[in-house]
Amino acid sequence: MAVKVAAAFIFMLFLLSTACQAKLSSAFYDKSCPKAESTIRTAIRTAIARERRMAASLIRLHFNDCFVQGCDASILLDETSSIQSEKTAGANNNSVRGYEVIDKAKSKVEKICPGVVSCADIIAVAARDASAYVGGPSWAVKLGRRDSTTASRTLANAELPAFFDRLDRLISRFQKKGLSARDMVALSGSHTLGQAQCFTFRDRIYNASNIDAGFASTRKRRCPRAGGQANLAPLDLVTPNSFDNNYFKNLMRNKGLLQSDQVLFNGGSTDSIVSEYSRNPAKFSSDFASAMIKMGNIRPLTGSAGQIRRICSAVN
């Protein structure tokens, strides 16, 4: 009996130890790679200084990674005979950017701490540093994620939000990831930095009724009825290179470029949140940081799961 009790006690200690190991922590690399975050930050700042638009791209990269299989850097894996790369999924193909920036940051970190820092953690830190560099909030990134050995183009096609989504569909997509409608609206605010390709907003500027006429006319200059599929246009015409709350002010004036943006303020359940953020930029910044932390905790691989990739685009 005593042996059984002792064995049960040891097993409980093992479970507790495993749970502790699996918990993300902002101090995860304090001993194993104390210069990890500063090294990543330098690489990210250099990339954004070269191209301001990269800030939005890095934030989106983190989002699109976490929404497929969790925050595991699966989005970085290239196509192989056994891996269907998420890079060619509908929402990512010729759209998501920043892969080479993460690769550069990983290369720098590998030089000081080989085989220690995951690509998944680098993506999370990069998103935070990108936000801070362009005037957005900063936050303590919880670390300790490991990298997946798989990717899923099928899941990416099924689970990533689409530019034509209705409000109920968007809310449902975010709820399935443990994110609230408020989280969704706050995260959407980063679109103030982004750009969209003509094919994603053509139908809205030519056919929608809930759009400012002058705004639609201006956008048609870069997006003809036919052709120009990949022509880029800033989601926020006023301050496209700064993290601010203009995105929400635009929505209240029917100046949302994408359908999936304007549905956030179109007589629905999220109107009040958009209105609040348009009046209170501090609240928006605070909620955005909280939502990013929450999103960064979607199904991370920890402990002995996954691996620490030496090269982010390929399994070891």
Side-chain angles (χ1 to χ4, degrees), residues 44 48 52-68 70-76 86-99 101-102 120 122-131 134 139 156-157 159-165 174 186-200 230 232-233 235 243 258 260-261 288 292 295-296 298:
I44 300 311
I48 300 173
R52 191 83 170 177
R53 180 186 163 210
M54 188 54 69
S57 298
L58 292 170
I59 293 171
R60 185 183 178 206
L61 183 64
H62 185 34
F63 179 95
N64 284 28
D65 179 42
C66 290
F67 258 60
V68 183
C71 307
D72 61 0
S74 60
I75 195 171
L76 302 181
E86 293 167 21
K87 293 180 179 180
T88 51
N92 296 335
N93 195 33
N94 297 318
S95 178
V96 168
R97 307 164 67 245
Y99 302 117
V101 176
I102 301 300
I122 291 174
I123 294 175
V125 172
R128 185 271 311 275
D129 292 344
S131 168
V134 293
W139 55 90
N157 282 327
E159 298 187 359
L160 287 171
F163 62 85
F164 50 78
D165 277 348
F174 279 74
L187 290 170
S188 298
S190 66
H191 290 184
T192 193
L193 297 167
Q195 296 192 31
Q197 296 180 63
C198 171
F199 79 91
T200 64
L232 290 171
L235 294 171
F243 191 104
L258 301 177
S260 56
D261 286 328
F288 178 80
M292 287 293 284
M295 184 186 77
I298 296 175

Side-chain angles (χ1 to χ4, degrees), residues 69 72 74 77 82-83 146-151 301 305-309 314-316:
Q69 295 190 170
D72 61 0
S74 60
L77 288 172
S82 60
I83 291 175
R146 288 169 64 83
D147 301 322
S148 70
T149 56
T150 63
L301 297 174
Q307 62 179 211
I308 304 297
R309 289 186 221 140
V315 174
N316 293 345

Side-chain angles (χ1 to χ4, degrees), residues 11 27 37 57-58 63 80 92-93 109 111-112 114 122 142 150 155 174 181 232 255 259 297 310:
F11 181 67
E37 287 194 66
S57 298
L58 292 170
F63 179 95
T80 68
N92 296 335
N93 195 33
V109 172
K111 288 179 180 177
I112 59 171
I122 291 174
K142 293 184 178 181
T150 63
L155 279 179
F174 279 74
L232 290 171
K255 293 183 178 181
Q259 175 181 315
N297 202 36
R310 295 301 181 104

